Amino acid sequence: MPQCRKCKCCVSSDTNICYQNDIGKYNGVLLDKTSRFTCKGKPVHNFVSTSTFTEYTVVDDIAVAKIHRDAPLDKVCLIGCAFSTGYGSAVKAAKVKPGSTCVVFGLGGVGLSVIMGCKVSGASRIIAVDLNSDKFAKAKEFGATDFINPKDYDRPIDEVLTEMTEDGVDYAFEVIGNTGVMTSALKSTHFGYGKTIIVGVAPSTATISFDPMLVLTGRVLTGAVFGGIIFSSGALVLYILYVKTVHLYCIVQQILQREE
């Protein structure tokens, strides 16, 4: 996440999206309009200014954050996206309140990080939703209290959630990138004050539509890129969290197990 620290967004405390970001634009090049990658003589474009799936990369200086020299890269790399995005979505973007009820749609590395953020924030009930029931055991380790597989029901999952939470959850997190699930997440929140955070990235051509009455009564639908965290100033805090309070190795283990 670039931070030029000069643009209208960077000087605002209300967003972490710098004008120099490539999210939604997908130009695939650095600020000098070049890509430093080639394959068989042809240029290879960058992914959102970072290309972090590569072992080595070239980024603009405004997209660099310094971390501890002793930080284990095989684990702290998750702070570059997965952990920060999920944890920040709960703690910073949603600002989950103690005693609240949350639902998390999607139990990948980001979804598990959302669960951790909800737990740290004091949520009393964290409902994990996924089509793969094998993920529930790991979600429980991270703090989930209830588990739902939509395939076990013959009615919309938002109706199931509304019924089991007395008119809807306080916070819903969509961590998949599916517009249908985004709508279900919105419907699953309390009609008067429920808050839905879109974390997953939908396909570039996707659109979403819903009955405006869903938000007219007080529901809030919003999104969070990188959990709303300003990485250039938040990296140290996140690393301290990693060392002292949360165990990113659990997420790493899950990723490695899938690769095997």
Side-chain angles (χ1 to χ4, degrees):
M1 289 291 293
Q3 298 291 330
C4 73
R5 306 191 185 199
K6 300 176 182 178
C7 70
K8 188 175 182 179
C9 285
C10 282
V11 298
S12 169
S13 60
D14 296 327
T15 181
N16 66 334
I17 302 294
C18 174
Y19 272 74
Q20 301 294 348
N21 81 85
D22 195 37
I23 298 172
K25 306 170 188 174
Y26 306 123
N27 295 317
V29 293
L30 301 180
L31 292 179
D32 63 4
K33 307 302 181 183
T34 67
S35 171
R36 305 305 172 86
F37 301 115
T38 60
C39 181
K40 298 180 180 180
K42 297 182 178 181
V44 176
H45 288 89
N46 292 68
F47 176 69
V48 291
S49 306
T50 57
S51 295
T52 48
F53 283 111
T54 58
E55 293 180 329
Y56 298 92
T57 190
V58 178
V59 299
D60 293 298
D61 59 351
I62 61 174
V64 176
K66 187 176 182 179
I67 61 174
H68 283 274
R69 289 182 177 275
D70 61 348
L73 297 181
D74 62 332
K75 299 178 179 63
V76 79
C77 63
L78 291 172
I79 290 177
C81 184
F83 172 69
S84 306
T85 298
Y87 188 88
S89 293
V91 175
K92 184 171 176 59
K95 294 181 173 60
V96 171
K97 297 179 181 178
S100 60
T101 298
C102 306
V103 61
V104 180
F105 293 85
L107 301 178
V110 180
L112 293 177
S113 299
V114 172
I115 291 174
M116 282 194 283
C118 292
K119 181 179 179 180
V120 169
S121 298
S124 60
R125 194 175 187 185
I126 304 172
I127 305 169
V129 180
D130 202 286
L131 293 173
N132 184 354
S133 299
D134 292 340
K135 296 181 180 181
F136 293 160
K138 184 63 66 176
K140 185 176 182 179
E141 291 181 26
F142 280 66
T145 58
D146 301 78
F147 311 90
I148 293 179
N149 186 330
K151 293 189 294 186
D152 296 335
Y153 299 86
D154 58 1
R155 55 190 174 128
I157 203 62
D158 56 273
E159 293 182 7
V160 176
L161 288 163
T162 299
E163 183 179 290
M164 68 185 291
T165 58
E166 298 182 5
D167 296 328
V169 300
D170 301 307
Y171 303 94
F173 300 86
E174 197 282 346
V175 203
I176 301 171
N178 182 300
T179 54
V181 179
M182 292 174 187
T183 303
S184 293
L186 177 63
K187 290 181 177 180
S188 71
T189 59
H190 190 278
F191 64 86
Y193 52 77
K195 190 171 188 177
T196 301
I197 310 294
I198 294 178
V199 185
V201 180
S204 59
T205 58
T207 59
I208 185 172
S209 61
F210 54 83
D211 183 349
M213 187 59 69
L214 288 173
V215 295
L216 184 63
T217 57
R219 289 185 179 93
V220 174
L221 175 64
T222 186
V225 173
F226 200 65
I229 294 171
I230 298 176
F231 192 73
S232 59
S233 59
L236 177 60
V237 175
L238 287 169
Y239 178 66
I240 293 172
L241 277 172
Y242 153 65
V243 172
K244 294 187 176 181
T245 61
V246 296
H247 305 289
L248 294 188
Y249 69 85
C250 293
I251 302 179
V252 176
Q253 286 178 336
Q254 181 177 0
I255 293 172
L256 293 177
Q257 287 171 359
R258 289 180 183 174
E259 291 179 348
E260 293 173 356

